Amino acid sequence: MSQKIVGVKGMNDLLPGEIEIWQHVEGLARELFGRYGYGELRTPMVEDTALFVRSVGEETDIVGKEMYTFEDKAGRSLSLRPEGTAPAARAFIEHAIANQEPLTRWFYMGPMFRYERMKTGRYRQFYQVGAEAYGSKEPAQDVEVMDMVARFLDALGLQDITLNLNSLGDEACRPAYHAKLVEYLQAHKAELCEDCHRRMETNPLRVLDCKNEKCQAVAAQGPSVLDVLCEPCKAHFDEVQRKLTALDIRFVVNPRMVRGLDYYTRTVFEFIASHPALGTASTVGGGGRYDKLVKSLGGTDVPAVGFACGLDRLVLLLKESGRSFVQVPDLFIAAADPGSHDAAFALAGRLRHQGLRVDFDTRGGSLKSQMKRADKSGAHFTLVLGELERTSGQGKLKQMSNGQQWETALDPASVIATVRARRAEVASAPQGGTA
Ligand code: AMP
């Protein structure tokens, strides 16, 4: 036997049975983000490596250790996208959107790639849904984005998720914070890992999101950026909090949250779940303001704010909730004998053409085996088509939930009308009723 080829480590197949949860989450996102005026953006999976180096930052784990980078046949350095904000900004600049739409709202969803250490909720191909708003520097824009995430998580029925909020200041106050931080880190240098010794020199903020436990312990006691915010940054942060409160969005201020990407200025936030199923992969979404990114990538000076949620983690939480999103067939059609197989197949086809979800076993087989499949499929109704039904043009729909039988003519319109009427009756019956 030839050797089996298996999927790439950290990259999962999503099969029917689970995919329905994904479709539910994606559908909700589309509907909800559309309600806030966000249009969908799709960018390629592959970008010029320099895009991520210049935006996400060379010293970040994402760029420094986790990117899938390769040379194409012409010797260009390309990378599978590890996140969606930089590609969106690239597209925003490339299509000169700022001239056409001074306030632009985009959302995206799709796979991202990071060569990370895998565990539950952390994969090498994972999926994000995110949004970006360009053109407004106002706190209201930050809050609109956070409100959208909060409503999204609410609509998914997810609870026990806390919004953590912080401000990273801007180019006016961050140097003072850097200086304070470096002074503190110097005093604790012996406790820091090798990577952080380098980061202290190149990008001290990155020490604060080092995954090493000792470094995290040092970071937890470090100076708070909030103590050194300049007046405009402080006013912005206060207004963000006031507006969140006005929209009944609960949050906690977490002065040590810096996020693992370099491009943020002022507001940063994370939505953190406390569900044990996620273990330490508990951040379901995060984002912030990045007022300098568009300009630093060669665009005009356009402020922006955005977020990304990890779909894999949201799906994990929904799986835990035990809710089912699988759609079962409306009707299973069984052929009572081989001579009825053709007629049953034709009826199944015509019903499908007209919008009914129909299952039919194309392999034929005994009535018993077909009925076993009907049971397993969870179909709402079954119809057994035999010689009698073929000649009379009448048949019986069996309602699988209670065994009741409903006589119907076997033309597609009548079958569909009977199925829909009975299903509507079930849907409107009071809880615990027998209909
Ligand atoms: P980030 O772009 O790192 O801010 O990530 C935003 C969100 O994407 C996180 O809050 C996670 O929910 C999700 N995420 C990031 N990395 C992974 C990964 N390797 N596997 C699964 N989800 C991830």
PDB file of all heavy atoms in Angstrom, residues 310-326:
ATOM      1  N   GLY A 310     -10.479  35.915  16.470  1.00  0.00           N
ATOM      2  CA  GLY A 310     -10.089  34.579  16.042  1.00  0.00           C
ATOM      3  C   GLY A 310     -11.303  33.678  15.922  1.00  0.00           C
ATOM      4  O   GLY A 310     -11.925  33.346  16.926  1.00  0.00           O
ATOM      5  N   LEU A 311     -11.627  33.309  14.679  1.00  0.00           N
ATOM      6  CA  LEU A 311     -12.836  32.488  14.486  1.00  0.00           C
ATOM      7  C   LEU A 311     -12.689  31.109  15.113  1.00  0.00           C
ATOM      8  O   LEU A 311     -13.652  30.559  15.648  1.00  0.00           O
ATOM      9  CB  LEU A 311     -13.137  32.336  12.995  1.00  0.00           C
ATOM     10  CG  LEU A 311     -13.664  33.588  12.294  1.00  0.00           C
ATOM     11  CD1 LEU A 311     -13.940  33.295  10.834  1.00  0.00           C
ATOM     12  CD2 LEU A 311     -14.933  34.069  12.968  1.00  0.00           C
ATOM     13  N   ASP A 312     -11.472  30.542  15.050  1.00  0.00           N
ATOM     14  CA  ASP A 312     -11.295  29.192  15.609  1.00  0.00           C
ATOM     15  C   ASP A 312     -11.712  29.166  17.082  1.00  0.00           C
ATOM     16  O   ASP A 312     -12.335  28.218  17.539  1.00  0.00           O
ATOM     17  CB  ASP A 312      -9.817  28.770  15.520  1.00  0.00           C
ATOM     18  CG  ASP A 312      -9.280  28.891  14.115  1.00  0.00           C
ATOM     19  OD1 ASP A 312      -9.056  30.045  13.663  1.00  0.00           O
ATOM     20  OD2 ASP A 312      -9.106  27.867  13.461  1.00  0.00           O
ATOM     21  N   ARG A 313     -11.334  30.226  17.784  1.00  0.00           N
ATOM     22  CA  ARG A 313     -11.641  30.257  19.227  1.00  0.00           C
ATOM     23  C   ARG A 313     -13.120  30.474  19.474  1.00  0.00           C
ATOM     24  O   ARG A 313     -13.696  29.905  20.398  1.00  0.00           O
ATOM     25  CB  ARG A 313     -10.803  31.345  19.910  1.00  0.00           C
ATOM     26  CG  ARG A 313      -9.328  30.980  19.828  1.00  0.00           C
ATOM     27  CD  ARG A 313      -8.419  31.991  20.492  1.00  0.00           C
ATOM     28  NE  ARG A 313      -7.036  31.638  20.153  1.00  0.00           N
ATOM     29  CZ  ARG A 313      -5.982  32.324  20.539  1.00  0.00           C
ATOM     30  NH1 ARG A 313      -6.134  33.405  21.291  1.00  0.00           N
ATOM     31  NH2 ARG A 313      -4.778  31.937  20.204  1.00  0.00           N
ATOM     32  N   LEU A 314     -13.747  31.301  18.656  1.00  0.00           N
ATOM     33  CA  LEU A 314     -15.197  31.510  18.804  1.00  0.00           C
ATOM     34  C   LEU A 314     -15.938  30.202  18.522  1.00  0.00           C
ATOM     35  O   LEU A 314     -16.886  29.847  19.229  1.00  0.00           O
ATOM     36  CB  LEU A 314     -15.682  32.606  17.853  1.00  0.00           C
ATOM     37  CG  LEU A 314     -15.080  33.991  18.094  1.00  0.00           C
ATOM     38  CD1 LEU A 314     -15.601  34.988  17.063  1.00  0.00           C
ATOM     39  CD2 LEU A 314     -15.391  34.477  19.507  1.00  0.00           C
ATOM     40  N   VAL A 315     -15.475  29.474  17.505  1.00  0.00           N
ATOM     41  CA  VAL A 315     -16.123  28.199  17.165  1.00  0.00           C
ATOM     42  C   VAL A 315     -15.939  27.196  18.312  1.00  0.00           C
ATOM     43  O   VAL A 315     -16.872  26.482  18.679  1.00  0.00           O
ATOM     44  CB  VAL A 315     -15.577  27.646  15.831  1.00  0.00           C
ATOM     45  CG1 VAL A 315     -16.008  26.209  15.608  1.00  0.00           C
ATOM     46  CG2 VAL A 315     -16.041  28.523  14.671  1.00  0.00           C
ATOM     47  N   LEU A 316     -14.745  27.188  18.907  1.00  0.00           N
ATOM     48  CA  LEU A 316     -14.512  26.298  20.058  1.00  0.00           C
ATOM     49  C   LEU A 316     -15.514  26.589  21.181  1.00  0.00           C
ATOM     50  O   LEU A 316     -16.085  25.675  21.771  1.00  0.00           O
ATOM     51  CB  LEU A 316     -13.101  26.530  20.607  1.00  0.00           C
ATOM     52  CG  LEU A 316     -12.006  25.587  20.141  1.00  0.00           C
ATOM     53  CD1 LEU A 316     -10.655  26.083  20.639  1.00  0.00           C
ATOM     54  CD2 LEU A 316     -12.268  24.186  20.670  1.00  0.00           C
ATOM     55  N   LEU A 317     -15.723  27.859  21.445  1.00  0.00           N
ATOM     56  CA  LEU A 317     -16.665  28.238  22.515  1.00  0.00           C
ATOM     57  C   LEU A 317     -18.086  27.829  22.150  1.00  0.00           C
ATOM     58  O   LEU A 317     -18.841  27.358  23.001  1.00  0.00           O
ATOM     59  CB  LEU A 317     -16.602  29.748  22.781  1.00  0.00           C
ATOM     60  CG  LEU A 317     -15.326  30.244  23.461  1.00  0.00           C
ATOM     61  CD1 LEU A 317     -15.331  31.764  23.577  1.00  0.00           C
ATOM     62  CD2 LEU A 317     -15.150  29.616  24.841  1.00  0.00           C
ATOM     63  N   LEU A 318     -18.449  28.007  20.893  1.00  0.00           N
ATOM     64  CA  LEU A 318     -19.808  27.622  20.482  1.00  0.00           C
ATOM     65  C   LEU A 318     -19.998  26.110  20.549  1.00  0.00           C
ATOM     66  O   LEU A 318     -21.067  25.628  20.913  1.00  0.00           O
ATOM     67  CB  LEU A 318     -20.104  28.124  19.069  1.00  0.00           C
ATOM     68  CG  LEU A 318     -20.454  29.602  18.980  1.00  0.00           C
ATOM     69  CD1 LEU A 318     -20.681  30.016  17.545  1.00  0.00           C
ATOM     70  CD2 LEU A 318     -21.697  29.928  19.799  1.00  0.00           C
ATOM     71  N   LYS A 319     -18.942  25.367  20.215  1.00  0.00           N
ATOM     72  CA  LYS A 319     -19.030  23.899  20.320  1.00  0.00           C
ATOM     73  C   LYS A 319     -19.293  23.504  21.763  1.00  0.00           C
ATOM     74  O   LYS A 319     -20.099  22.634  22.047  1.00  0.00           O
ATOM     75  CB  LYS A 319     -17.692  23.288  19.896  1.00  0.00           C
ATOM     76  CG  LYS A 319     -17.609  22.936  18.451  1.00  0.00           C
ATOM     77  CD  LYS A 319     -16.402  22.032  18.284  1.00  0.00           C
ATOM     78  CE  LYS A 319     -15.873  22.062  16.898  1.00  0.00           C
ATOM     79  NZ  LYS A 319     -14.487  21.629  16.814  1.00  0.00           N
ATOM     80  N   GLU A 320     -18.599  24.172  22.674  1.00  0.00           N
ATOM     81  CA  GLU A 320     -18.773  23.898  24.103  1.00  0.00           C
ATOM     82  C   GLU A 320     -20.196  24.153  24.553  1.00  0.00           C
ATOM     83  O   GLU A 320     -20.695  23.526  25.460  1.00  0.00           O
ATOM     84  CB  GLU A 320     -17.833  24.801  24.923  1.00  0.00           C
ATOM     85  CG  GLU A 320     -16.400  24.383  24.867  1.00  0.00           C
ATOM     86  CD  GLU A 320     -16.160  23.070  25.588  1.00  0.00           C
ATOM     87  OE1 GLU A 320     -16.641  22.927  26.716  1.00  0.00           O
ATOM     88  OE2 GLU A 320     -15.507  22.185  24.999  1.00  0.00           O
ATOM     89  N   SER A 321     -20.844  25.119  23.911  1.00  0.00           N
ATOM     90  CA  SER A 321     -22.201  25.481  24.339  1.00  0.00           C
ATOM     91  C   SER A 321     -23.202  24.390  23.953  1.00  0.00           C
ATOM     92  O   SER A 321     -24.324  24.372  24.423  1.00  0.00           O
ATOM     93  CB  SER A 321     -22.627  26.810  23.698  1.00  0.00           C
ATOM     94  OG  SER A 321     -22.971  26.581  22.338  1.00  0.00           O
ATOM     95  N   GLY A 322     -22.779  23.461  23.087  1.00  0.00           N
ATOM     96  CA  GLY A 322     -23.638  22.327  22.733  1.00  0.00           C
ATOM     97  C   GLY A 322     -24.737  22.667  21.733  1.00  0.00           C
ATOM     98  O   GLY A 322     -25.536  21.809  21.382  1.00  0.00           O
ATOM     99  N   ARG A 323     -24.793  23.911  21.289  1.00  0.00           N
ATOM    100  CA  ARG A 323     -25.827  24.261  20.305  1.00  0.00           C
ATOM    101  C   ARG A 323     -25.514  23.597  18.964  1.00  0.00           C
ATOM    102  O   ARG A 323     -24.356  23.464  18.607  1.00  0.00           O
ATOM    103  CB  ARG A 323     -25.879  25.777  20.112  1.00  0.00           C
ATOM    104  CG  ARG A 323     -26.574  26.495  21.252  1.00  0.00           C
ATOM    105  CD  ARG A 323     -26.304  27.975  21.201  1.00  0.00           C
ATOM    106  NE  ARG A 323     -26.849  28.627  20.016  1.00  0.00           N
ATOM    107  CZ  ARG A 323     -26.493  29.841  19.603  1.00  0.00           C
ATOM    108  NH1 ARG A 323     -25.586  30.527  20.266  1.00  0.00           N
ATOM    109  NH2 ARG A 323     -27.035  30.369  18.536  1.00  0.00           N
ATOM    110  N   SER A 324     -26.580  23.186  18.256  1.00  0.00           N
ATOM    111  CA  SER A 324     -26.340  22.557  16.958  1.00  0.00           C
ATOM    112  C   SER A 324     -26.748  23.510  15.844  1.00  0.00           C
ATOM    113  O   SER A 324     -27.782  24.160  15.917  1.00  0.00           O
ATOM    114  CB  SER A 324     -27.139  21.262  16.850  1.00  0.00           C
ATOM    115  OG  SER A 324     -27.045  20.782  15.533  1.00  0.00           O
ATOM    116  N   PHE A 325     -25.922  23.574  14.817  1.00  0.00           N
ATOM    117  CA  PHE A 325     -26.223  24.458  13.690  1.00  0.00           C
ATOM    118  C   PHE A 325     -26.419  23.656  12.410  1.00  0.00           C
ATOM    119  O   PHE A 325     -26.570  24.207  11.338  1.00  0.00           O
ATOM    120  CB  PHE A 325     -25.087  25.468  13.514  1.00  0.00           C
ATOM    121  CG  PHE A 325     -24.914  26.357  14.720  1.00  0.00           C
ATOM    122  CD1 PHE A 325     -24.035  26.010  15.735  1.00  0.00           C
ATOM    123  CD2 PHE A 325     -25.670  27.512  14.856  1.00  0.00           C
ATOM    124  CE1 PHE A 325     -23.892  26.817  16.854  1.00  0.00           C
ATOM    125  CE2 PHE A 325     -25.526  28.319  15.966  1.00  0.00           C
ATOM    126  CZ  PHE A 325     -24.641  27.975  16.973  1.00  0.00           C
ATOM    127  N   VAL A 326     -26.375  22.330  12.555  1.00  0.00           N
ATOM    128  CA  VAL A 326     -26.491  21.466  11.378  1.00  0.00           C
ATOM    129  C   VAL A 326     -27.927  21.531  10.861  1.00  0.00           C
ATOM    130  O   VAL A 326     -28.880  21.459  11.631  1.00  0.00           O
ATOM    131  CB  VAL A 326     -26.138  20.010  11.753  1.00  0.00           C
ATOM    132  CG1 VAL A 326     -26.386  19.074  10.581  1.00  0.00           C
ATOM    133  CG2 VAL A 326     -24.686  19.933  12.213  1.00  0.00           C
TER     134      VAL A 326
END
